[in-house]
Amino acid sequence: MALKYSIERFEFHDLKTKQFITIVGWCYQEDNESVNYRIKLDGKEVDFELFRPGREDIINGYDLGFKNTHIGFRLIIDCNEEPKSIEIIAYTDTCSERILNYDQRKINKYRDKREINTYIDEFTFNEETRTYQLKGWAYSYAKDPIEYSVFDSNGKKVDVEFHSKGRVDLYSLFFVGEDQIDCGYTIKWKGNAKEKYSFVLKTKNYQSKEILQEKRSSQNVLSKVPKLFKMLSYQHFKNGFRILKKKGFSGVIDRIVHGSNNWAEYDEWFNATKVTKEELERQRNTKFEFAPMISIIVATFNTKEEYLKEMIDSVRNQSYSNWQLCIGDGSTNDSVEKYVKEHYGDDSRIVFKKLEKNYGISGNMNGALELVTGDYVGLFDHDDLLTPDCLCEFVASMQKVHHDCVYSDEDKLNDKTKKFEDPHFKPDFSIDLLCSHNYITHFFVVNMDIVRKVGGMRSEYDGSQDHDFIFRCVEQANSVHHVPKILYHWRMHPLSTAMDPESKMYCYTSGKKAIESHFKRIGIDATVEMLPRPLYGMYHCKYTVKDHPLVSILIPNYNHKDLLKGCIESLMNVNTYSNMEIVIVENNSTEQEIFDYYKELEETYSNVKVIYYEGDFNYSKINNYGVKYTHGEYILFLNNDTKVIEPDSIEDMLGVCQREDVGAVGAKLLYEDDTVQHCGVVVGYHGYATAAFSLIDRNDFGYMGRPRVSWDVSAVTAACLMTKREIFDEVGGFDEDFKVACNDVDLCLKIRSLNKWIVEDVFSVWYHYESKSRGLEDTPEKQARFQSEIARFQKKWPEILKNGDPFHNPNFDLDKGPFTYPKA
């Protein structure tokens, strides 16, 4: 029988005192025969250390049914000199297979010279006590003592209070031995909220430095999951980090923790995966049935020759030739005009107009727009770049459907380092995300017929004129299509907003106005709030609740008086929305105190009633049964182990749910330690689905600020889900064949099939003490049931599993977890 395996992490540690390689993954044979390993460095077999962690995540995910769960491996190989090649052979008594073969170039790609492995878990400032707190862990690969220091912006060392902390989690994963188990730390000091501090770790051979406030800046909103979580499995949590078990991850804990987070390697990844010369040649020879002319409009203003040349050449180098470059120049001199005419005057596809004066970005872009003769218009900035396959990819996407609007993914070109960084892997069209911030930006192409309808750029929106323009275009479009490829490079230099978001604050007020104008045009009553620093350019759209409708809150319950009481009291005392009824569905409780509490509730509150469902536990049946006893136009499905945190959470959800185009709304759910439990669901993980952004801090930015703004998703958890009664009835309620798992995701996908949005409302915030009522999926019977329901889900929804979640970019490696970067 063949071996099944995966290499999840490879690291070549190149330290001053020694070199060694760490490799992590899993391997098994289908009959569960024990797997052994041989390793060759430079063709010679060498000794190594082998650890065999349990991998229930793989066993349960693939329904293997193994009794021996230790199919994982962590290999540590000492190197006497820099290796030129490494080969790993996995073998059993009946077969042998080479599972890794790296040459020197590939090994060097994973070279890591850091002497200290470290991660900052938390960095906070208490306004009342004016105290900073820094938590994390650090250890030396060479086991050298580490000196911890904090410095202010003047380089003066700060007096701190230091406490070491045991990290059993790291020890259980073999990251550290008993002699380094106290590698955790908590550091406190008094300080100024506006001060910038640096954190320095030092051994006798190495020093690292991190500017602490940079972790909070909008320059890098990519929240990084601790390295620890890259390699955790359910077994690791069970044996070494038991607190997470209380959070209810059960057999699917690996959904988050196996993600790669090598953002620093993006430049290498892009260059390794970008279009090849051979593919460009093939594209040049491709004859499209639908071959529209794409007119690219650019506004120039005293543009540097270097930028001007690179911008124009990136268009001229396109593999698709039916284009036009229209330049509207508002420069204060004729340098741009002279350069374009001297170097590109013989290319009739490049048309130039010297404007009478600088009309601002919108006026100058409109000057370029007047030159357009093409079928589509593309928006281009004068200092940015297109990839050579950009237009070809856009036109290729238009062959079956002539989309009115098309946009792509993008990244940033660091003008100082000349490296690509900060990729923006976008979702397919998401109106709520567009109302939260202009995620579309570049490269955006629109049918010229639409432009004629909506007009050009509007100067009163300068700074966010493209956001306003995109809104007006998508409002008129027959379809908005996303090409999930990096096809645009946004240049970062000292004067660009990409480099310094605070350099153009007026942009953000213009963005607010653009969203407000969009709502006014489509007849939606809402207020738009700018989010504070560092979330510049992001917004909270609060929809006005109409007619104060009745919301029916449906809560299934089994025992656990204290949990239910906490939920009810938060609804009565914290929540501010008053027109609600609460229907508790009692399901076979055995404790007298819960029945006494039911009686107390019904005597105290006229809007609370208890109904009784006596069948076996079936989440779908219980909720379908409960809906029959509700009277509201809107239904909020709510777990008994939740508590509302933000007082206007229900009202915020209701405002979203009242929109005609919305089918269901979910909330941001937190564990009791203020880390995220749920912020939307991504479909497709290991053949099913998983929660996005689990385990990050409630205020972390996640990927591109997604956990901090509302966005459209494929599904939300029914632990807190609001929908319209008429829509719930139209889709037939919950599918009762999904007794425990999959029912909420299935419901959302049915609602999505009605062409309705599922909105993740992050401004509705609740605590969720997950799985305390019904328990974890920790028995063979429960796991078997879980797997059977997943199999049914896969049979029912094959298309989304095949094509991918439209709100989760295919460049992410979903096998490792949501928003983990990148897929090789």
Side-chain angles (χ1 to χ4, degrees), residues 292-475:
M293 175 185 281
I294 299 181
S295 296
I296 302 169
I297 60 173
V298 181
T300 54
F301 179 76
N302 298 340
T303 308
K304 289 173 58 176
E305 284 189 4
E306 175 192 354
Y307 296 166
L308 189 63
K309 180 182 187 306
E310 291 180 2
M311 179 271 291
I312 295 175
D313 286 349
S314 76
V315 179
R316 296 187 79 206
N317 292 334
Q318 291 297 305
S319 59
Y320 180 78
S321 59
N322 193 17
W323 54 263
Q324 178 189 37
L325 178 60
C326 306
I327 303 174
D329 182 38
S331 299
T332 58
N333 54 54
D334 60 359
S335 60
V336 172
E337 181 178 17
K338 286 182 178 179
Y339 185 86
V340 172
K341 289 182 177 180
E342 179 181 350
H343 293 86
Y344 303 101
D346 59 347
D347 193 333
S348 61
R349 297 175 298 178
I350 299 176
V351 288
F352 183 92
K353 181 178 183 179
K354 184 69 173 76
L355 305 177
E356 295 178 357
K357 63 177 183 178
N358 176 25
Y359 292 99
I361 182 62
S362 294
N364 295 349
M365 286 291 274
N366 287 337
L369 187 61
E370 294 174 0
L371 305 174
V372 167
T373 59
D375 306 294
Y376 283 80
V377 174
L379 308 185
F380 199 18
D381 285 351
H382 68 150
D383 49 2
D384 295 343
L385 305 171
L386 301 180
T387 64
D389 57 332
C390 177
L391 298 185
C392 184
E393 292 288 355
F394 271 60
V395 173
S397 74
M398 300 176 183
Q399 296 308 299
K400 291 184 179 179
V401 177
H402 299 345
H403 306 291
D404 278 336
C405 299
V406 185
Y407 65 95
S408 70
D409 296 340
E410 62 187 296
D411 63 15
K412 296 183 177 68
L413 171 62
N414 190 311
D415 199 41
K416 184 176 181 180
T417 65
K418 302 303 180 185
K419 288 187 175 183
F420 300 113
E421 56 189 60
D422 205 9
H424 189 176
F425 294 126
K426 306 170 187 178
D428 286 354
F429 183 60
S430 170
I431 187 60
D432 286 274
L433 190 58
L434 187 61
C435 289
S436 295
H437 73 105
N438 183 12
Y439 82 93
I440 289 179
T441 54
H442 304 297
F443 183 50
F444 179 73
V445 167
V446 57
N447 192 317
M448 188 59 190
D449 289 340
I450 297 288
V451 179
R452 294 187 183 99
K453 287 182 182 179
V454 305
M457 304 288 176
R458 303 196 292 187
S459 296
E460 60 267 37
Y461 296 90
D462 272 2
S464 287
Q465 72 289 335
D466 52 349
H467 202 176
D468 169 66
F469 181 72
I470 289 170
F471 269 126
R472 289 183 284 126
C473 291
V474 299
E475 289 165 13

Side-chain angles (χ1 to χ4, degrees), residues 45-60:
E45 198 155 312
V46 296
D47 294 331
F48 57 93
E49 291 183 80
L50 168 63
F51 303 95
R52 296 180 183 271
R55 292 301 296 265
E56 278 89 347
D57 54 317
I58 302 302
I59 291 170
N60 293 337

Side-chain angles (χ1 to χ4, degrees), residues 512-575:
K512 177 178 181 289
K513 189 164 66 171
I515 301 167
E516 291 170 338
S517 295
H518 161 69
F519 287 144
K520 186 175 181 179
R521 285 191 299 273
I522 64 175
I524 287 182
D525 186 8
T527 58
V528 181
E529 300 174 0
M530 291 175 55
L531 296 184
R533 183 181 186 273
L535 294 170
Y536 291 144
M538 297 186 174
Y539 308 88
H540 175 197
C541 300
K542 193 169 180 63
Y543 300 89
T544 303
V545 172
K546 300 176 182 177
D547 304 324
H548 201 59
L550 177 66
V551 175
S552 297
I553 303 176
L554 192 63
I555 308 174
N557 190 70
Y558 166 78
N559 289 329
H560 295 282
K561 172 192 171 183
D562 290 342
L563 280 179
L564 180 62
K565 184 177 181 181
C567 178
I568 298 296
E569 288 182 350
S570 74
L571 291 172
M572 296 301 184
N573 301 323
V574 179
N575 157 59

Side-chain angles (χ1 to χ4, degrees), residues 38 430 488 797:
R38 293 198 306 271
S430 170
Y488 191 98
W797 299 103

Side-chain angles (χ1 to χ4, degrees), residues 6-8 254-256 258-261 263 269 425 682 684-686 808-824:
S6 174
I7 305 296
E8 296 176 317
D254 63 310
R255 65 180 61 172
I256 298 298
H258 287 104
S260 170
N261 204 26
W263 294 98
W269 178 86
F425 294 126
V682 176
Y685 176 78
H686 284 196
H808 185 267
N809 193 291
N811 286 295
F812 294 120
D813 195 343
L814 187 52
D815 288 339
K816 296 178 180 177
F819 299 96
T820 52
Y821 156 88
K823 180 174 284 188

